[in-house]
Structure formats: C-alpha cells, structure tokens
Amino acid sequence: MPREAEPSLSEKQFVLQALQENLRLDGREFDQYRPLELTFGDQYGVADVTLGKTRVLAKASAEVTVPYADRPLDGIFTIATELSPMTAPSFEVNRPTETEVLLSRLLEKTIRRSGALDTESLCLVAGQKCWSVRVDVHVLSHGGNLIDAACLAVVASLRHFRKPDTSIEGGVLTVYTPAEREPVPLSWLHSPFCVTWSFFGEEGEIAVLDATWLEEQVRVASCTISLNRHGEICQIAKLGGTPVEAVALLQCTSVALTKAKEFSALVDRKLAEDLKRRDKGGLMAELKAENDR
Amino acid sequence: MTTTTGRPFVLPGETVDPSLVPTHKKHPLRLGPGLRHIPPSDIIPTVAGQLVTNPVKNSIWVEYNSQRYIPQPGDLVIAQIVRSTQDAYLASLSPYTASATLPQLSFEGATKKTRPMLSPGSLVYARVSLANKHMDPELECVSSATGKSDGLGPLTATAGTGTGTVFDVSLGFARRLLMARSREEGRVAVLEMLGGEEGGGLAFETAVGRNGKVWVGSESVKTVIIVGRALQETDRGGLGIEEQRRLVKRLIREMR
C-alpha cells in the first residue's frame, strides 16, 4: 500500500502563516464552504454531491428480507462506506483506514442513531418480512472534508429514494412494480447534517469550516457537529487533537446551525426541482390510458 | 480539423497529413512526444492533442495535457525531498511514484564537508539528468558543464523575510508557462500582468517545474495567494489572454 503523500514543509508553513493573517489559499472566508453542488440521478435514490474538489456519490436501494430476531418489528437500515483506490492510491480495498472507519462511524451516529429514518415503517410482516434499506457511499474524489459531503449525499439520496409499494391480502405480500403502482417515499423524520470545524494554531485558536485536503493535513484538531435545521444536535465528535476552549465550541455550534439550515434549504430546493423535472404533467399526463391508482 | 490556434488537432492512430510534416535540407526529421514512426514512412500520433511543428529545427510533436508526469532528461522540476541516504537524497517528483535520486554532491560548490542539509519535506528546483524506462530518475542542481547552479537548488523564500509555497497546476499549463515566448505561443500572460500595471506591480518570484508544480515566493502572504489563485484559475478555466486580464483585476480587487 503506497503511503499517503505528505505536503512539503513550505506548504505546511505557508498554510499556517496565511491563516494567522486571516487568509485562506483559495480566498474563502473562514466560515465559508466551497461551491456545493447536488444533483440527482435518473434512478430514485442516486445523489451526487460535489464540494470543491471532493465528490461523493450515494445510492440508496431496498430489498425485502427477514428482520433480525431480536427486533421483529423493525426494518433494516445500513450505510456502507467504501474508500476505494480510485479515491486516492493510499486507500486499499478490504483494509479500512482510519479515515474510512471514522467516516462510517460518524455517518452511522448522525443518520442511523439519530432516528432520521423511521425503521418501524419498514416492517411488512412482523418477524417475517421487512424492507432492508441500504445506502452505498462512493467517494469519487477526495479533496478534503469528506464527512460533510458524504452526510449530505446520504441524506439527499434517502430523501430522494422511493421504495416499491406493497400490499398484504390474506397473508400474501405483493410487491408492485413501478408500472403497476407509483413507488412510495421512505418515512423520513428529520434531516441531520454534519458540519466539520478544523482547528489550527498552537492552542487551536483558529477555527475554519470545510477544510481542503491540504488544510486537513496541517490541522491540529477537528470537531464534527451533526444537527438538523431545528437546532437539535445529534452528536458532537471531537476525537483527540489539541484541546479547544468551550466558548469557542459554543460559537462553532451556532455557526453550524446556520450552515445546517442552508444545507436543508438546498436539499429541499433540489428535491423540488427534481420532482418538477420528473413530473411530465400537462395534457399528455391527463390523456394517458393508465392511471395512478 | 484545426483548433483556435490554427494548429491541427490529431487523434491517436490517425495518419498525419504529409503536407504538415516539415522538411529541411540539413537536419533530419525529429519526432517529439506523442508521435511514433511506423516504418517505412508512416507517422502516427499516439495521443490526442495539437500537432506542433518547428521548421527551423525540423521537429514535430503533439502538444497534449496528460495526468502523470514522465521524467525526460533536461526537464526542470520541483522535487520534494523524501529522505536522505548516505550519498544521495531521495526526492519525489509526483505523489505515489518511484522517487528520484539527487546526489548530495550535485549542488553548486558542494564538497564532502560543505553540502546542503535538506530535511524531509523541503523543496528543490532541479534538472532531470538521467531518465530511463524501468529506472529511477536522477536529478542535479548544478550544471555539469560549468559547475554553476543556474538558479537551481533548494527553494527558500527571499532573504529569510519572505514566504513561499508550491501550487499544483496541470502538466500542459506548466509547459505553457515554460515556453520562451509564453504570451504568444502558450497564451499565458497572467504572470506578466500580475507584475505589470494590471496587478499594480506585485513583487514575487516563481519557479515552474515541468512536473506540474509552480513555486511562488514573495515578501507578503497575500501576493503569494493572489499569484497562486491566478495561476490555478487560468489553468482550470482554460482562460484566454483577455479573460486572464479580467481575472487579475478581479483578484486584486477582492484581496484589497
């Protein structure tokens, strides 16, 4: 496995020197994100997030399985994160690096453990049949701040996803194809978003949002705050690194709330646009022979 | 098919029109990168790009933008020291590739006792002296003919007070920057503009490595950032001369 490419000494020094002078290499403000783009695929549940040079693709899928024996009334919801060598040559298949483990843990805590998806609604026949919803996260390009981009992609893909409609008649479960019945959206309770702060300087006095890959390699600590637009915090992860003042962290949280509101508005807007694009509407829709049932 | 510069565009495997191949009384025809001679008399491109000819030197090559840097003898590169061995430094020209060797005595005026001490991670501006297939490339920071450094050597900021960093650009853009007449041939004038009246006469120095790296040094951090961003945005957007002028003006205004 090739080792991760280290930045040179002058790059490391320069990033810090610039931050001391309130400057960033790409000319952003400290609390500014890189241009964020969200696109949906033709299929339901495919979301592609581009954040500067970082690109993450999330794909949601669902299948009917047997629920876990200890949770007969719950469906199954999993998030699979994979960093392939395509992301960077230092990542290897089947050998998770620290980045990958942290990414999947944080996504798990943010989206699954916060109850964003109502797993009870995935149950079809208690103890026998349930939906298993799975989101695959593919990191296509690593330009720093994977966590925020991946979290946004997963949330967007799940909100875009439609699972096939089902019915139970006389103990017989029928799963309808999209042609027979319009697929139904998941029962989604709230949309949590991750906002990652990076800290620089000897005492972590400089706090920066959305660090690039170079900045991530130089930072002394990082803190990921997950919250939804109502300001409900799902988790705060500050794993090691230099200690940071509690007051500074409080300030970070309040900025994170405004960012979470922005993300939420972006996802809502893009979903509405996508719905409009899919909705052919007009005379042709009314003249169609088949109806929506 | 021709591009905006009037140079024909070729695709791999195409036959090159014989009328485009230069002829010369004395010099033999020289094929540059991206072209291959298929005996007896066919010349075919192996990459997609612009076909460029030099009638004076009787040479022909394809100008293209590739991802991986392949060292060629005589190239000026910016290398990052990885570690030091007994008599040579190991330096990396691009990430995740085999490292190049830089003998500790190939610096200007270096002897066994007075050789520069370079720590891992420091940058040097060097020339590729040896590059063969299946072999690690070799670098030098001194001209073997004259014993002078010719501007090569460790990249440090001016006189200790300044600062500097390295920016990644595409290989094609680095080649354009290194052209003798970069404004006319390479259509890059962004550095001239930054130092000229559009940029308000910024003071900075640059070193361009063919491995897609540009080192920018200056007294002020702000100037380095402006120059670096101007270079990267020109590269990414494929900007023309007039767009570069607008970009420089915008960057200067933003950073004020």
Side-chain angles (χ1 to χ4, degrees):
Chain A
M1 179 170 64
R3 281 183 45 206
E4 212 170 72
E6 279 257 319
S8 64
L9 285 179
S10 55
E11 275 172 287
K12 287 184 190 169
Q13 266 169 13
F14 187 79
V15 170
L16 292 176
Q17 208 177 345
L19 286 170
Q20 304 279 8
E21 297 190 17
N22 280 346
L23 293 167
R24 285 176 89 169
L25 257 64
D26 40 12
R28 277 183 292 154
E29 300 292 325
F30 280 6
D31 59 349
Q32 197 183 353
Y33 267 77
R34 286 168 285 176
L36 181 62
E37 267 172 56
L38 170 64
T39 47
F40 293 107
D42 287 336
Q43 257 183 316
Y44 281 124
V46 180
D48 185 343
V49 171
T50 316
L51 184 63
K53 279 187 179 168
T54 301
R55 189 167 170 205
V56 180
L57 185 112
K59 187 178 186 315
S61 52
E63 57 175 356
V64 178
T65 47
V66 182
Y68 294 127
D70 55 336
R71 305 202 75 103
L73 295 174
D74 273 355
I76 300 171
F77 172 38
T78 46
I79 302 173
T81 326
E82 197 177 303
L83 292 177
S84 65
M86 182 174 70
T87 313
S90 56
F91 296 118
E92 207 174 359
V93 182
N94 295 330
R95 198 191 277 176
T97 53
E98 198 186 305
T99 329
E100 185 173 343
V101 175
L102 287 185
L103 177 63
S104 59
R105 273 297 292 151
L106 275 170
L107 289 181
E108 186 105 329
K109 280 203 294 196
T110 306
I111 298 167
R112 217 165 79 95
R113 301 264 300 275
S114 74
L117 179 65
D118 176 20
T119 46
E120 282 181 23
S121 72
L122 298 176
C123 180
L124 297 167
V125 183
Q128 287 174 27
K129 287 276 179 290
C130 73
W131 280 110
S132 160
V133 175
R134 176 193 163 102
V135 188
D136 290 278
V137 181
H138 301 282
V139 178
L140 305 180
S141 161
H142 185 4
N145 203 8
L146 277 185
I147 294 171
D148 296 9
C151 183
L152 187 80
V154 172
V155 168
S157 79
L158 282 169
R159 286 187 58 187
H160 186 244
F161 183 61
R162 302 276 187 278
K163 68 180 190 315
D165 199 7
T166 54
S167 73
I168 300 169
E169 273 173 44
V172 180
L173 174 75
T174 322
V175 180
Y176 296 100
T177 62
E180 286 171 325
R181 277 197 190 179
E182 195 69 9
V184 288
L186 300 170
S187 110
W188 189 250
L189 301 178
H190 72 128
S191 302
F193 295 100
C194 289
V195 177
T196 305
W197 284 93
S198 301
F199 299 99
F200 298 85
E202 269 173 33
E203 285 164 12
E205 67 274 9
I206 303 170
V208 161
L209 263 187
D210 188 30
T212 60
W213 177 225
L214 178 60
E215 286 166 339
E216 275 189 8
Q217 285 174 307
V218 182
R219 70 185 175 193
V220 292
S222 74
C223 176
T224 304
I225 302 163
S226 307
L227 72 179
N228 59 18
R229 71 190 159 107
H230 308 296
E232 294 161 344
I233 293 179
C234 308
Q235 62 96 21
I236 296 184
K238 184 176 177 307
L239 308 159
T242 311
V244 176
E245 290 278 334
V247 183
L249 269 187
L250 281 178
Q251 268 172 1
C252 292
T253 329
S254 61
V255 178
L257 177 58
T258 60
K259 293 294 163 192
K261 280 180 182 161
E262 280 173 32
F263 290 156
S264 187
L266 173 84
V267 174
D268 286 347
R269 198 183 72 230
K270 290 287 178 183
L271 280 170
E273 274 174 21
D274 187 71
L275 199 67
K276 210 183 237 175
R277 186 172 63 88
R278 277 165 198 277
D279 182 19
K280 298 286 185 301
L283 195 60
M284 283 314 286
E286 277 175 38
L287 286 176
K288 254 191 327 190
E290 77 245 34
N291 52 7
D292 284 340
R293 265 176 283 237
Chain B
M1 194 170 135
T2 54
T3 47
T4 48
T5 47
R7 292 167 178 167
F9 182 82
V10 288
L11 288 169
E14 247 180 16
T15 43
V16 172
D17 192 351
S19 65
L20 296 169
V21 180
T23 48
H24 198 276
K25 279 179 198 149
K26 280 188 210 147
H27 300 308
L29 181 68
R30 285 169 66 108
L31 294 185
L35 288 175
R36 199 166 168 181
H37 174 221
I38 304 286
S41 62
D42 280 349
I43 293 172
I44 59 162
T46 54
V47 288
Q50 295 176 3
L51 194 70
V52 190
T53 52
N54 185 340
V56 181
K57 287 185 181 163
N58 200 23
S59 58
I60 179 166
W61 70 96
V62 181
E63 197 66 56
Y64 64 103
N65 200 359
S66 61
Q67 297 292 317
R68 179 182 288 267
Y69 173 68
I70 295 162
Q72 295 293 329
D75 279 2
L76 295 174
V77 291
I78 292 176
Q80 182 180 339
I81 303 291
V82 178
R83 62 191 174 91
S84 160
T85 61
Q86 189 116 52
D87 51 357
Y89 290 112
L90 291 186
S92 97
L93 297 179
S94 48
Y96 311 114
T97 51
S99 47
T101 53
L102 171 64
Q104 293 191 351
L105 293 179
S106 68
F107 289 89
E108 190 185 52
T111 60
K112 281 243 165 192
K113 282 179 187 149
T114 62
R115 53 190 182 193
M117 300 300 285
L118 298 173
S119 48
S122 45
L123 297 170
V124 285
Y125 196 33
R127 187 188 298 111
V128 178
S129 58
L130 188 75
N132 288 325
K133 228 177 182 178
H134 315 304
M135 262 176 77
D136 286 356
E138 218 166 273
L139 309 175
E140 61 180 10
C141 285
V142 65
S143 163
S144 46
T146 60
K148 288 273 189 288
S149 69
D150 296 342
L152 303 177
L155 281 170
T156 44
T158 3
T161 55
T163 176
T165 190
V166 72
F167 291 93
D168 285 332
V169 294
S170 67
L171 297 188
F173 188 69
R175 271 203 303 275
R176 279 162 61 193
L177 279 173
L178 277 171
M179 281 174 186
R181 294 182 302 138
S182 63
R183 193 181 193 122
E184 290 81 15
E185 285 177 21
R187 304 185 317 287
V188 200
V190 68
L191 290 179
E192 291 170 32
M193 289 175 189
L194 284 164
E197 58 180 297
E198 287 95 340
L202 293 180
F204 60 91
E205 49 184 356
T206 56
V208 184
R210 238 167 222 250
N211 52 346
K213 291 187 191 298
V214 182
W215 186 83
V216 182
S218 168
E219 293 281 307
S220 96
V221 174
K222 219 174 236 182
T223 309
V224 176
I225 293 181
I226 293 178
V227 176
R229 280 183 66 197
L231 286 172
Q232 285 185 325
E233 283 183 32
T234 307
D235 179 25
R236 205 173 308 141
L239 305 183
I241 296 275
E242 205 39 54
E243 288 164 309
Q244 289 172 27
R245 196 187 307 277
R246 278 201 291 276
L247 170 76
V248 166
K249 280 185 178 157
R250 180 170 64 83
L251 283 176
I252 297 285
R253 206 170 46 236
E254 267 178 31
M255 299 293 276
R256 274 266 155 74

